[in-house]
Amino acid sequence: MEDLRYREKLLCSRELHPEDSIIEVGEGIGCVRIGGRYTAGVPAVIAGPCSVESESQIIEIAEAVKAAGAAMLRGGAYKPRTSPYDFQGLEAEGLRMLLKAKAETGLPVVSEIVDAGNLDLFADVDVLQVGARNMQNYALLKALGRTDKPVLIKRGNAATYQEFLTAAEYVLSEGNPNVMLCERGIRTFETYTRNTLDISAIPVLKGIGHLPVLADPSHAGGRRELVSSLALAAAAAGADGLMIEVHNKPEEALSDGRQSVTPAEFAKLMSRLRRLKMDIEE
Ligand code: PEP
Ligand code: MN
């Protein structure tokens, strides 16, 4: 793999797998395919609140993002917060609410897992998210590699492309080929934005690797007013998917309200994305 300093050829590399990987999420009519021709120019959008806060909150948001065209619903139940005094998530109860929203809307669901000991609780969660803080939690990555569930790995905030890809390699090497990468901003000297969205990561990771690459403009910018611009930039750069935080009452959100867009703002972004797709095709 070009520029990656490993003697062994990596399973995540184009050398070993020239075709784009296509990850199937969910079953039957609600099945979403991510990667290759399925998402070329039309990113699959994962939308929802940072945290599941109540049954009515997650169901209301799920219905709104579905109506706007989201492909999947997100909602954190186990929240690895920077401070132990911040809201830590509703845990098993939060997952139950998220699964209720899945049953009501038919949207596949994505939620962060922080401990392999919780895998049983995630049996009906469609995509297991590994957060930026856990990108190098190799015990967790190996355990997820022993499942056959789609895994979405977020880039650590100081991880190089090599470190990011070799984190994915931990899952692949245990036998699970269903891995997606998500660029969510890295730490730079700039403090105005929460992180700096590294747009280069999208073409670089798709060039040297074959796994789908998504982008998360919400955690990158950290400000709701930046989400649309960053999402459109990532889509134009070839992102296979986008993860967008949406909240029905952002000012009351228990986590990440400042970067959460309202359902109306999300619907507007979805229509701008559809128009961008036409531009790419011309
Ligand atoms: C999240 O998706 O809510 C999250 C905690 O993201 P990250 O791991 O990228 O900080
Ligand atoms: Mn968040």
Side-chain angles (χ1 to χ4, degrees), residues 85-105:
Y85 306 118
D86 287 338
F87 176 61
Q88 301 286 307
L90 297 180
E91 305 189 336
E93 191 54 13
L95 287 180
R96 187 193 62 73
M97 294 170 184
L98 183 66
L99 293 171
K100 181 96 189 283
K102 170 180 169 171
E104 298 268 327
T105 58

Side-chain angles (χ1 to χ4, degrees), residues 50 74 79 219 245 256 259:
C50 180
R74 66 153 283 150
K79 299 301 303 175
H219 290 86
E245 284 188 341
D256 288 350
Q259 68 196 32

